[in-house]
Amino acid sequence: MKRLIQHGLMFGNLIEVSSPALVARYNRALDSLTGKTTSLTDFHIDISGYSPEIGDELGNHLYLNHGGCNRQFILLTTDQKTAPLLNAQFSTSRGILRQFIERNESQLFALTTRDAVAGELLNSVYAVDDPLALFDIRQITIEADTTEAHVSDANRLEGMINRFRNTDDGWLDDVLIADMITLAKKTGDVTRQPIALKTPTFKQENFWSAHFGGVYLFQNMDHPALISREDKEPLGNKLPIKHVFDFDNRNQIAKFLEYNDLVEPIVKARGVDAAAILQQKMDFIVMDVAADAGEDLTGATRRDIRALARRYGRDLPQEFHGLADLLRWANGAGKWPKITSEHPAYFYTLRARNHADKDLVNMLLAELSPKDIRQLFICHKERFYRDYMSWPDAKKGYVAEFLARDYMVDKAGARAALFGGETPMEGETPKQVQRFSGPWGGAV
């Protein structure tokens, strides 16, 4: 992973915590949430306050996410809103945290100048030991306060003020007045500077979960389904949903995407250079074959990749040949190829339409077309990091250099060129209600 870290492709945009005051605040919050503290004097945190260094120290990288459910968080600064979410167990978690920070930015800025804000993403279950539990996670509510309870104390003070104002002879209640003065010393004047956090409830109906090997649950659809990356049989046959597929059910997944109007062929999408996208996907496949053959890919150019394609032509998989046929059609040099859902190249030819579940569908497509390492990195970093560890060294070097050169210099531009629209990838702004549909331009 060293290459990825050096290029900013892993642990990038984490927030450094090095001042004694911030470390002390973090420890107070950590102790209040978990009963543990850190002896580290400097470390880095993600949007939720999770630190990989502290995870190593405690021997538990889920120390803020016990059982992978009801993620806890520690906010030291509103700058955390731009940080990634590491060890994500649900695709919606980062977006919910970011939206919470943005909706309460001024209040959180004021609160974090004097204390850490600690909280939890609450849902109706406390463990996901059974696949049935996924269907009980229908909404997420955020609960948050400082370690010194500034928010709850401010709410208490406001209640006291209302009692004082609305009770006959309230000004004669010496105990009430004394309590108000004591609390006001801690909270400040809540009549002029109210302390209140907006904690909206987020619907979570369509999402990815890392549990059970990775599953995609689409409940709010005209044709609902659960799609499992691994064999669906261990999930059982008592799930409260009609359709359960795994990645071997390619035709059923393709029909699911079509019936719900979730995808479009890249070659028919507006505002994209389809030929360039297809060519890059083919280059990744060539690189994959060449790396397995022991080729040195350091500094490989497009010309080098073409030479490798000629050299290893007989070894190139069907994904390459299917995309090559489609590229010839896109360039006006061939007829429309018949690429059905049974063809290994099929899911490489699609992208999500611009709807509320765009990021989730592109995440699914990335897993169904894993040789496209750029889409895999952008849409599903957890799977990318896991796959990266098993790659030959030549492939690791080429991929790290390519992503640093092609993607990191202009992330927004690269995402727009590949996926269109303005919906950010990586779950940045989930919708509270997810309903959308539209025409589909492909054929199964």
Side-chain angles (χ1 to χ4, degrees):
M1 297 297 188
K2 185 177 180 181
R3 288 190 186 94
L4 297 180
I5 297 172
Q6 289 174 337
H7 286 295
L9 299 165
M10 189 176 189
F11 302 146
N13 294 331
L14 294 181
I15 304 300
E16 182 181 10
V17 180
S18 56
S19 77
L22 289 181
V23 172
R25 291 175 191 172
Y26 187 92
N27 264 329
R28 287 199 301 270
L30 185 61
D31 182 51
S32 70
L33 292 175
T34 69
K36 302 180 183 297
T37 58
T38 178
S39 60
L40 300 179
T41 57
D42 62 90
F43 47 88
H44 297 79
I45 58 174
D46 69 2
I47 189 172
S48 73
Y50 159 76
S51 167
E53 296 103 323
I54 294 176
D56 286 337
E57 179 192 24
L58 299 178
N60 177 15
H61 286 280
L62 293 178
Y63 69 90
L64 287 181
N65 196 13
H66 181 70
C69 190
N70 292 301
R71 184 144 192 157
Q72 297 172 306
F73 61 88
I74 299 172
L75 298 179
L76 297 180
T77 169
T78 54
D79 289 343
Q80 285 173 238
K81 69 180 182 179
T82 63
L85 179 65
L86 305 180
N87 295 331
Q89 301 295 299
F90 291 93
S91 59
T92 53
S93 298
R94 181 178 184 270
I96 290 173
L97 279 169
R98 177 158 186 169
Q99 201 161 326
F100 168 71
I101 296 172
E102 289 177 339
R103 289 187 178 188
N104 295 281
E105 191 150 8
S106 60
Q107 293 283 10
L108 289 171
F109 179 83
L111 290 170
T112 54
T113 58
R114 48 185 169 176
D115 197 5
V117 173
E120 187 172 352
L121 275 61
L122 297 171
N123 61 53
S124 57
V125 303
Y126 297 94
V128 188
D129 299 325
D130 188 297
L132 283 169
L134 293 173
F135 295 86
D136 294 327
I137 305 174
R138 288 285 185 163
Q139 61 184 27
I140 305 295
T141 301
I142 291 182
E143 181 181 276
D145 202 345
T146 65
T147 59
E148 297 182 1
H150 288 93
V151 176
S152 60
D153 284 346
N155 290 335
R156 285 178 54 210
L157 181 56
E158 286 182 0
M160 291 177 181
I161 292 172
N162 289 332
R163 281 172 51 200
F164 178 79
R165 288 174 173 173
N166 299 320
T167 302
D168 292 340
D169 298 329
W171 58 277
L172 295 176
D173 190 336
D174 294 336
V175 174
L176 176 60
I177 293 172
D179 288 342
M180 289 168 57
I181 293 172
T182 300
L183 270 182
K185 291 178 180 179
K186 180 179 179 182
T187 66
D189 187 350
V190 296
T191 60
R192 294 186 178 181
Q193 295 179 322
I195 300 176
L197 295 175
K198 298 175 184 177
T199 55
T201 295
F202 299 87
K203 288 189 176 182
Q204 180 161 299
E205 297 172 314
N206 305 328
F207 58 89
W208 167 86
S209 170
H211 295 85
F212 313 109
V215 295
Y216 296 81
L217 181 55
F218 294 89
Q219 299 177 94
N220 184 21
M221 293 281 158
D222 292 337
H223 305 277
L226 182 144
I227 301 174
S228 173
R229 179 176 181 266
E230 299 181 354
D231 183 9
K232 65 185 178 184
E233 294 305 320
L235 298 177
N237 55 8
K238 296 182 180 180
L239 299 180
I241 197 166
K242 182 177 180 180
H243 300 295
V244 179
F245 310 130
D246 59 39
F247 279 16
D248 287 335
N249 304 131
R250 294 176 60 86
N251 187 53
Q252 291 91 332
I253 294 174
K255 287 181 177 178
F256 162 79
L257 295 172
E258 177 191 5
Y259 292 162
N260 289 293
D261 299 321
L262 296 175
V263 294
E264 63 184 357
I266 294 170
V267 293
K268 295 184 179 180
R270 295 181 179 180
V272 301
D273 187 346
I277 294 174
L278 293 172
Q279 183 63 66
Q280 188 62 72
K281 290 174 184 283
M282 293 165 59
D283 288 352
F284 291 144
I285 296 172
V286 173
M287 175 272 302
D288 187 54
V289 172
D292 286 341
E295 291 283 349
D296 182 4
L297 299 173
T298 305
T301 64
R302 175 60 58 78
R303 178 179 294 179
D304 297 328
I305 296 294
R306 285 199 300 269
L308 290 170
R310 291 191 292 269
R311 184 181 308 170
Y312 294 98
R314 292 183 179 181
D315 300 320
L316 294 174
Q318 287 301 307
E319 292 96 325
F320 178 89
H321 297 295
L323 292 173
D325 290 341
L326 191 57
L327 179 60
R328 278 190 288 273
W329 176 86
N331 287 328
K335 62 181 181 179
W336 174 257
K338 185 179 181 180
I339 301 177
T340 69
S341 57
E342 295 298 327
H343 197 292
Y346 179 75
F347 292 109
Y348 286 82
T349 70
L350 302 176
R351 74 172 195 177
R353 285 189 173 278
N354 192 21
H355 49 72
D357 294 304
K358 172 182 175 180
D359 293 353
L360 184 62
V361 172
N362 277 327
M363 188 178 189
L364 172 61
L365 291 174
E367 284 212 89
L368 291 166
S369 52
K371 295 183 188 298
D372 184 352
I373 51 92
R374 177 172 55 183
Q375 179 162 337
L376 191 63
F377 177 78
I378 295 172
C379 302
H380 201 329
K381 285 186 173 57
E382 288 76 16
R383 172 73 189 273
F384 174 89
Y385 294 140
R386 184 168 62 247
D387 288 0
Y388 180 92
M389 290 188 288
S390 66
W391 292 342
D393 193 65
K395 182 175 180 179
K396 290 179 180 178
Y398 175 85
V399 169
E401 290 176 8
F402 174 86
L403 291 174
R405 181 182 68 249
D406 180 82
Y407 174 65
M408 295 300 288
V409 295
D410 184 10
K411 297 179 184 179
R415 291 195 296 263
L418 292 171
F419 308 112
E422 297 182 355
T423 304
M425 304 301 297
E426 304 168 21
E428 290 185 353
T429 54
K431 304 299 181 184
Q432 286 182 267
V433 180
Q434 301 178 351
R435 294 186 176 90
F436 225 97
S437 63
W440 189 76
V444 179

